[in-house]
Every structure is written in C-alpha cells, then in structure tokens.
Amino acid sequence: MMDAVLQSATRLALEKFPRKSDKFIQYGTAGFRTKGVDLPHVIYRMGILAVLRSKVKKATIGVMITASHNPEADNGVKLIDPMGEMLEALWEDIATRLANVPDADLAGMLSSLIEEEKIDMGQSASVSFARDTRPSSVPLAQALQAGIEVMQGMFQDYGLLTTPQLHYMVRCKNSAGEYGKPTEEGYYEKLTSAFLKLHAQVTHTGRYSGSLHLDAANGVGAMKIREVEKYIEKALTISLYNDGSHGKLNDKCGADYVKTGQCAPNGLPVKAGVKCASFDGDADRIVYFYVDDDGSFHLLDGDRMATLVAGFFQGLIQSTGLDLKIGLVQTAYANGSSTNYITQQLKVPVACVPTGVKHLHHKAQDFDVGVYFEANGHGTVLFSDRAMEKVEGAVVNTGLPSERRAAADKLKTVIDLINQTVGDAISDMLLVETVLNSQGWGIQDWKMCYTDLPNRQSKVTVKDRTVIQTTDAERKTTSPPGLQEAIDKLVAVFNQGRSFVRPSGTEDIVRVYAEADTQVNADKLAYEVSLLVYQLAGGIGEEPKLIS
Ligand code: G16
C-alpha cells in the first residue's frame, strides 16, 4: 500500500512536476525562495512533506505560497507547524533534502524518511494552505495540492490570505477553539473587537489622530485591509494606496522599500505631518513614517515599534501589580540607539539573535511577555502560559483593588489584539494605533522618544554567498579569512561606527549594514564595507557604489 503511494508520487513528479535543473535550493530564512518558474517541483514535494509532517504531529500543518517582500517574479513556500509557528529546524533540513533529491530517487528518499521518523502511514493527515497575489502562486498552489492528494492527505485551500492569517488559521485549527475561529471572519472579529473595546476606553484625545495613509505594496494586504475597515471605520480611517489595482507588487513601494531606501513609497501622496504606514507583499511586516514641513523623511521601523510596545506593556504590567518578566528580542540590525533606550530608559532586558523570525520567536518564549521585532518591521508579542493564567486570574479576582483588575482586563484585551503566531502587519497596525491613542500621541511624539543613529543598508552580489559565514548572532564573520579584521579596522575610524555583513536567506546577495554618527559617515562606512565584501568574497557584476 505504502509502496504504491510512493510509486505514484514519483510517477507524478516525473510526469508533471519534474526537477528541471540540479541547482541546489535551501530552506532559508523563510522557507524556499527563488524565481516562481523554478518552483513547481519544490512545491509539489512540499505538499508531500506537509502530509508526512501532519501524520507525525497528528495535527493540521500549514503551507504558505509567497515570496513576501521579494519582487513579483519570485515566489516561495514555507511550512507552518501546529501552533502557527515556523517549521522545526530538523524538518527544515529534511525539506532541503527532499527538494534536491533527483526525481528517480524520490520514492527511495521518502521511504527512508518514513522509516527514520517512524511515521505511521495509517494516521490521517490534514494540510491548510493559502497563497499571495503573485500570478505564479495559482499554478504553484495546484502543484502543492497535487502533492497533498497523491499522499492521500485531506486539505483546505484558503485561497488568498496574508501569511499571518494562515498562521492564525493553523493555530485555531489545532487548539480546539481556544485561540479563535479558523475563518477570515473569525480573525477579523477577534482582532477588531479587541481594538474597538480598547478604543472606547480612551477618554482623552491628546495629539492622537485616528487617520492613517496606508501603502499596501500592491499585495494581498490591500484586500484584507478593506475587510478590516468594515469593522473599525468609526475608530480608524484608512486611506489605502498601492492597493493592487495598478502597479506591481513591492515595486518601489512596500515596507522593505521604505525601510531600506529610507524614503516614502511611490503611489502615496505624502503630506507634511500625516501619519503613514507601509505593509510588505504578504502583510507580515509594517513600518510607519511621515515627512516634516521641510520635506525631511522620518521612519518608525520595527525598532520603534519594539520600544513603543515594550514601554506600553511595562506600564500596563506595573498597573496590574502582577509579577511578570518582560523581555525584548532584537537582531544585529537593531539601531544602537533603540537598544540603549530599551536597556537604559525602559530598563527592559534585550537579547540579540540571528535574523529570521524563527530565531526571535524562539527566544521571546524565554519571557512571560516576550516582545520581538526585527528592524524591518516584522514582529509580535508572546505571552507565556504563566502570564495568561496570572492575567486571567487577576481579571476575576474580586479581592484585588478595582484599578488593578481594570488594568488586568485591559491587558487581557490587548492580548486578543495580537497575533501571537507570527509578525502580522494588520495586528501590529491595530496595536500601534491602540498604544498611540492610549498615550494621546501623534506620530511625532513617538519619534521623539530617542534619536536613531544614522544608518545605511546595502547589497553586494557575489558568486557564492555561502562563502560568508557568521557568528555572534551575525555580528561577526568567520569566513572568508581576513574580512572581519578588515571590517574592524574600518569601523574603528568612524565615530559611533558599527557594521556587519551576512548572506541573505531570501535573496541571492550579501547584506551590509552600517551605522555611524552622521548619515555621510554611515553611507561611507556601508560603501567601504561593501567594497571589502566585493573584493574578499568574490564579487560579481558592477563594483558597489556610494549610496547617499
Ligand atoms: C523574511 C523573514 C524575516 C527576515 C527577512 C529578510 O521576511 O521572515 O525574518 O528578516 O526575510 O531576510 P534575509 O535578510 O535573510 O533576506 P519576509 O517578510 O520576506 O518573509
């Protein structure tokens, strides 16, 4: 029986989803990412793998087809584990092996995997999947479905969803109704009812403005925000731009463009002092920004959200009187000023981990209230079981002073506003708006908390980006020889200088980050480090140029 299934899987692979090139592909920072045309065999195989994973976990597994912030021609796939979290690291390796095995060896590899992992093939399997708006996502979803069906798995095709919505669905399906309803309406109702309840509790106005100009990156977030609007239009007025009606996905717009370019997106008319935000292509990241009267651009990125949110939770936890440990997780990209503000002003402990949501998410679980944000705008807040029990206990404890119970009730409501499975642009937007409203802050007040160190990010194309190897949460390189020593020498020349390089896990490039006392110096340091990478790590194409 099992042999017949595996033989069918191989036959279908050869007939309809053959591996056309022997180029190695790796499950990276956020799953497999490459050109959409190169993915059918990988995605077909991920359908097979999702069924096996579901049998092992005896739970629904998610599969999202998206290349998130990457250009429209790219695509990608990632698996979602039962609690809505990223796939376990060991299975990332299995996914990489499966994606690269020659077609003819597929049945053999699957058979060994089933034996090694002691998979009970009699166990039923269920997979939920969704896709973003890329044209290639439609045929790729068909390839995925074929992989699930050939392994006789059950499935639910959610069609178009944001990535975080699918993470939410998977968690709901596996937590017997405790996390919410596994439907789009269930998602909107959970988040927006919490948002409206918190909005109604604010009695002052201050400088808060309930109006937002939103750049949806011409992605799936646009159609989903239209749904959100139906629930919250009286509390937050959203003017939507780059809604996909014209213009390409992530093309000169979206959170990644705004963050790396430190400029407003195309397609959004920027007016001085107006609060604006950008989603990325699959709405798992958000950054805020505004321009001043003199046209100067101000970015409020993931670091700013981390500080805003951590400060808010710290105050709220204090008001409840509960003994809850709050902590914040960042990556090497976090601006030095944000880390100083969090540790010295807020006195919240900070941990630094390698890039990739999975690393931040994992570390945030060490705290009762774990806030994590990447500077690029991807982040959320996690609450431990202990925290949930304490908060819920305080809400119903009639022996507590009423202010403490009210604070606990507010905290419980804020928890409902947050998608704890993964960073979620919609949920983060509602959270930021809630915090600003509750503080009576305009976007300028938020900006005034601290001053960012000027910084610059750039990319270098090299022949093989894996020659760059890193340590110390990616803050130092161990290969190629001599690179770190040369970076150290350069950095020492710049006031408040800091720089690191790392191979991207989602694009075929090396990323360079630099910060220094002035923008001119940050640009210069980024340029000089980029040149070093080009020279010592096998740069190809044009030499790096000074960006300013
Ligand atoms: C993905 C990951 C993020 C990561 C980003 C860039 O984001 O989910 O954790 O920060 O890629 O990664 P890299 O620098 O390795 O290319 P997204 O929004 O594209 O899914």
Side-chain angles (χ1 to χ4, degrees):
M1 169 69 178
M2 180 184 96
D3 283 350
V5 169
L6 299 188
Q7 292 309 329
S8 303
T10 305
R11 214 170 24 250
L12 193 59
L14 286 161
E15 280 168 13
K16 290 188 79 177
F17 307 106
R19 182 171 173 254
K20 291 183 186 144
S21 126
D22 57 7
K23 193 174 171 209
F24 181 78
I25 181 160
Q26 178 147 21
Y27 199 100
T29 315
F32 295 105
R33 292 238 179 127
T34 186
K35 294 280 167 261
V37 290
D38 294 333
L39 277 169
H41 73 284
V42 175
I43 296 206
Y44 167 71
R45 291 165 185 217
M46 289 308 106
I48 295 175
L49 191 69
V51 169
L52 296 178
R53 181 74 179 152
S54 171
K55 287 178 189 289
V56 169
K57 301 304 280 185
K58 298 185 175 56
T60 296
I61 294 297
V63 185
M64 184 70 199
I65 297 173
T66 180
S68 192
H69 75 275
N70 292 43
E72 189 168 283
D74 287 8
N75 216 321
V77 61
K78 66 174 176 179
L79 269 66
I80 301 169
D81 260 354
M83 284 300 107
E85 72 277 41
M86 299 294 183
L87 182 66
E88 182 191 326
L90 178 73
W91 277 68
E92 288 188 1
D93 294 341
I94 294 174
T96 300
R97 277 198 279 135
L98 184 62
N100 290 289
V101 74
D103 292 320
D105 299 342
L106 194 57
M109 192 216 144
L110 288 170
S111 175
S112 316
L113 173 64
I114 291 164
E115 205 181 310
E116 276 161 29
E117 296 297 318
K118 299 186 182 55
I119 301 175
D120 172 5
M121 293 301 282
Q123 171 69 39
S124 64
S126 134
V127 179
S128 289
F129 64 90
R131 61 187 155 86
D132 70 12
T133 52
R134 283 161 216 267
S136 63
S137 292
V138 175
L140 290 175
Q142 288 161 358
L144 180 76
Q145 185 175 323
I148 300 168
E149 282 178 326
V150 82
M151 295 300 285
Q152 301 173 351
M154 292 178 293
F155 64 87
Q156 178 168 5
D157 176 2
Y158 277 98
L160 291 166
L161 285 185
T162 70
T163 296
Q165 284 180 322
L166 183 64
H167 283 255
Y168 163 89
M169 302 300 173
V170 172
R171 176 135 172 194
C172 289
K173 286 200 160 186
N174 291 315
S175 37
E178 271 180 30
Y179 196 67
K181 288 192 210 129
T183 61
E184 270 196 67
E185 292 69 33
Y187 169 89
Y188 299 128
E189 277 162 14
K190 180 176 178 189
L191 264 55
T192 60
S193 57
F195 176 73
L196 291 174
K197 182 173 168 188
L198 292 160
H199 185 266
Q201 285 172 5
V202 179
T203 47
H204 58 83
T205 48
R207 281 180 297 273
Y208 175 73
S209 154
S211 147
L212 178 69
H213 286 210
L214 182 65
D215 151 34
N218 291 316
V220 65
M223 67 180 73
K224 303 308 176 188
I225 214 69
R226 294 261 189 246
E227 295 301 315
V228 173
E229 272 183 303
K230 292 179 192 160
Y231 295 81
I232 61 162
E233 55 192 353
K234 291 203 178 70
L236 180 66
T237 307
I238 300 172
S239 307
L240 193 59
Y241 301 94
N242 297 325
D243 64 356
S245 53
H246 53 279
K248 274 194 167 177
L249 179 70
N250 296 327
D251 185 22
K252 298 194 175 53
C253 60
D256 201 61
Y257 176 80
V258 171
K259 165 71 183 163
T260 48
Q262 302 187 25
C263 61
N266 280 8
L268 181 145
V270 190
K271 285 203 199 110
V274 171
K275 184 171 58 181
C276 303
S278 279
F279 284 2
D280 73 340
D282 64 340
D284 63 357
R285 304 190 203 169
I286 181 172
V287 295
Y288 274 75
F289 60 92
Y290 69 97
V291 293
D292 265 340
D293 291 334
D294 64 2
S296 54
F297 176 82
H298 300 276
L299 178 70
L300 294 114
D301 60 6
D303 296 341
R304 293 281 174 174
M305 282 185 269
T307 52
L308 183 78
V309 166
F312 174 75
F313 277 111
Q314 199 189 39
L316 196 50
I317 291 167
Q318 266 164 17
S319 312
T320 65
L322 294 172
D323 168 29
L324 294 175
K325 193 168 70 147
I326 181 169
L328 199 142
V329 188
Q330 298 185 312
T331 70
Y333 289 106
N335 195 279
S337 297
S338 77
T339 313
N340 288 342
Y341 176 77
I342 296 158
T343 49
Q344 289 162 23
Q345 302 281 318
L346 299 180
K347 311 241 182 272
V348 168
V350 175
C352 182
V353 298
T355 300
V357 176
K358 59 188 174 195
H359 301 296
L360 290 105
H361 195 93
H362 185 70
K363 187 69 192 168
Q365 288 169 333
D366 287 354
F367 304 98
D368 290 320
V369 179
V371 181
Y372 74 80
F373 274 91
E374 293 186 291
N376 63 21
H378 194 134
T380 188
V381 188
L382 304 185
F383 301 87
S384 66
D385 290 345
R386 177 177 175 270
M388 294 301 292
E389 273 163 31
K390 286 199 169 229
V391 173
E392 277 160 15
V395 172
V396 293
N397 183 351
T398 46
L400 282 182
S402 58
E403 318 80 66
R404 283 178 57 185
R405 277 185 73 197
D409 188 60
K410 183 170 177 185
L411 183 51
K412 188 165 178 275
T413 311
V414 183
I415 293 172
D416 272 345
L417 183 61
I418 293 170
N419 184 348
Q420 291 189 58
T421 61
V422 77
D424 181 335
I426 293 175
S427 162
D428 288 343
M429 176 192 80
L430 296 176
L431 177 62
V432 166
E433 294 300 325
T434 297
V435 178
L436 293 177
N437 191 10
S438 124
Q439 321 268 53
W441 279 5
I443 193 163
Q444 293 84 351
D445 299 299
W446 179 16
K447 176 80 185 178
M448 269 158 46
C449 291
Y450 63 87
T451 306
D452 274 318
L453 272 173
N455 58 89
R456 177 65 64 196
Q457 277 190 52
S458 56
K459 305 175 181 184
V460 184
T461 308
V462 297
K463 194 158 167 275
D464 172 12
R465 71 192 198 274
T466 63
V467 298
I468 306 264
Q469 286 180 13
T470 64
T471 184
D472 187 21
E474 302 179 320
R475 288 174 287 197
K476 298 221 172 311
T477 54
T478 51
S479 156
L483 178 59
Q484 187 57 49
E485 293 72 12
I487 293 175
D488 288 343
K489 271 194 196 152
L490 273 178
V491 165
V493 176
F494 289 86
N495 209 359
Q496 294 180 278
R498 183 170 77 90
S499 181
F500 66 90
V501 307
R502 54 174 286 277
S504 162
T506 62
E507 294 172 59
D508 195 7
I509 45 143
V510 175
R511 297 200 195 277
V512 173
Y513 176 88
E515 64 186 32
D517 57 345
T518 65
Q519 192 61 54
V520 170
N521 283 344
D523 292 345
K524 198 157 174 253
L525 181 56
Y527 165 65
E528 291 187 4
V529 172
S530 299
L531 266 186
L532 275 180
V533 172
Y534 189 87
Q535 286 154 4
L536 298 179
I540 53 173
E542 265 185 56
E543 269 199 8
K545 291 199 176 69
L546 181 67
I547 313 170
S548 54

